[in-house]
């Protein structure tokens, strides 16, 4: 390792980014699970999650 590199430097991910990644994975799994049961249900679940996120973002004043 070169002298000028700090061993603690690297990619830093804050908690909000982790929450968003986990949320996207959860939404994808919910949609996929519904799709496995009944194909149109997967689209309905995924669409309702997106609409819900849009409503929440609008109510919070999403910038």
């Amino acid at each position: 390792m070169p002298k000028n590199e700090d061993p603690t430097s690297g990619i830093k991910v804050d908690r909000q980014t982790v929450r968003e990644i986990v949320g996207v994975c959860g939404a994808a799994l919910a949609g996929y699970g519904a799709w496995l049961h009944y194909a149109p249900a997967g689209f309905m679940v995924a669409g309702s999650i997106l609409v819900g996120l849009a409503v929440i973002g609008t109510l919070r004043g999403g910038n």
Side-chain angles (χ1 to χ4, degrees), residues 11-62:
I11 298 175
K12 294 191 177 17
V13 180
D14 62 342
R15 288 183 177 178
Q16 185 62 33
T17 303
V18 172
R19 287 183 191 124
E20 290 174 2
I21 291 171
V22 169
V24 167
C25 290
L29 289 172
Y32 181 67
W35 180 78
L36 286 175
H37 179 66
Y38 180 61
F43 292 106
M44 291 186 289
V45 168
S48 62
I49 289 171
L50 291 175
V51 168
L53 289 174
V55 168
I56 291 171
T58 301
L59 292 176
R60 294 180 73 184

